[in-house]
Amino acid sequence: MKTIVIKCGGSIISRLSENFFASLAELKNEGYSFVFVHGGGPDINEMMDKFQVPVQFENGLRKTTKETLEITEMVLAGKTNRYFVNKLQTNGFKAVGLNGSDGAILQAEHINQETLGEVGRIVKVDTDLLEVLLSKKVYPVLTPISINEAGDKLNVNADTAAGAVAAALHAELCIFITDVDGIKEGSNIIRHITESEIHQLIEEGTIYGGMIPKVKAAIHAKHEGASKILITSGVSDFFSNSKWRGTFLEV
């Protein structure tokens, strides 16, 4: 089974274009199956503001109290996931939404409970349920909400969760969907790049602004075990006529 893990940030899901779904359809026709992992940062921030709960980050990770975790799960599983699943099905893809904690798919442990609260790192991905769904040509859509040995839920970074899922499934590719066509040098898209080259381009200022967290997320996914990563756009056709558009991060 040829599987692609696709990570969509919360800010891009509502802006996915017809070209994006056309690319998925072409890949499906070529025999690929999909597992989607998504975040929901903007929706979470909006809901926390309504509840007057402060938003705090530490080294790029959301500090997560018990209250913050309840809001995060409510938004991810109750709003963002439902919207994304419906969007996929409207475009002809049979999909099912799951919390990462469902069926203990995403198993995690605390990173540093004192500093970050209920934030975890993935220690295991149980692929059994995912593989059953994929065998029926049903595409799982996962939140990064995970579960630990004690049965407590943890908030996990969606980028690293996607990388861990890609590694566990031995996926052909892990795709990070953004609002740009890839990493640019001048007006040209860089087709292939290594981790060391990314760090160099950040230091030189070639990679800057909003692209920095995107490439760092891709590097995190690589460290989680994803062997091949593509950074590409959700507002254009990232795959057409058997050709990829975007930047490949190679191990």
Side-chain angles (χ1 to χ4, degrees), residues 96-245:
V96 61
L98 296 165
N99 248 358
S101 57
D102 293 342
I105 296 169
L106 299 182
Q107 300 171 29
E109 63 184 10
H110 284 96
I111 293 176
N112 186 326
Q113 195 168 11
E114 184 176 345
T115 303
L116 293 171
E118 308 308 305
V119 175
R121 65 166 62 87
I122 301 295
V123 294
K124 182 182 177 182
V125 178
D126 189 328
T127 62
D128 288 351
L129 180 56
L130 300 179
E131 289 169 349
V132 168
L133 291 169
L134 291 172
S135 71
K136 303 293 184 182
K137 300 190 184 305
V138 178
Y139 304 131
V141 183
L142 294 175
T143 78
I145 299 295
S146 305
I147 196 165
N148 67 10
E149 284 187 342
D152 299 317
K153 292 177 182 177
L154 297 175
N155 185 23
V156 171
N157 178 275
D159 301 309
T160 55
V165 171
L169 287 171
H170 305 290
E172 301 272 328
L173 187 62
C174 183
I175 302 179
F176 283 80
I177 299 299
T178 72
D179 55 359
V180 294
D181 288 333
I183 301 172
K184 288 186 176 181
E185 190 167 24
S187 60
N188 297 319
I189 299 294
I190 300 172
R191 296 302 176 190
H192 297 270
I193 197 167
T194 65
E195 182 177 342
S196 62
E197 288 170 341
I198 285 176
H199 291 305
Q200 182 180 339
L201 291 177
I202 291 174
E203 289 180 10
E204 293 174 356
T206 302
I207 295 176
Y208 63 93
M211 182 53 71
I212 291 177
K214 292 181 178 67
V215 297
K216 286 186 175 180
I219 289 171
H220 275 305
K222 193 194 85 166
H223 289 169
E224 290 296 319
S227 61
K228 197 171 185 181
I229 294 165
L230 177 68
I231 299 173
T232 190
S233 173
V235 295
S236 61
D237 53 341
F238 65 89
F239 184 82
S240 181
N241 298 319
S242 299
K243 293 182 180 179
W244 296 97
R245 182 198 300 257

Side-chain angles (χ1 to χ4, degrees), residues 13 38-41 43-44 47 68-86 96-102 141-146 153 155:
I13 290 174
H38 69 85
D43 287 338
I44 294 168
M47 188 62 70
T68 302
L69 181 61
E70 287 182 4
I71 294 171
T72 299
E73 182 175 11
M74 176 177 66
V75 171
L76 289 177
K79 180 182 179 181
T80 315
N81 189 273
R82 299 294 86 208
Y83 176 85
F84 195 10
V85 168
N86 184 63
V96 61
L98 296 165
N99 248 358
S101 57
D102 293 342
V141 183
L142 294 175
T143 78
I145 299 295
S146 305
K153 292 177 182 177
N155 185 23

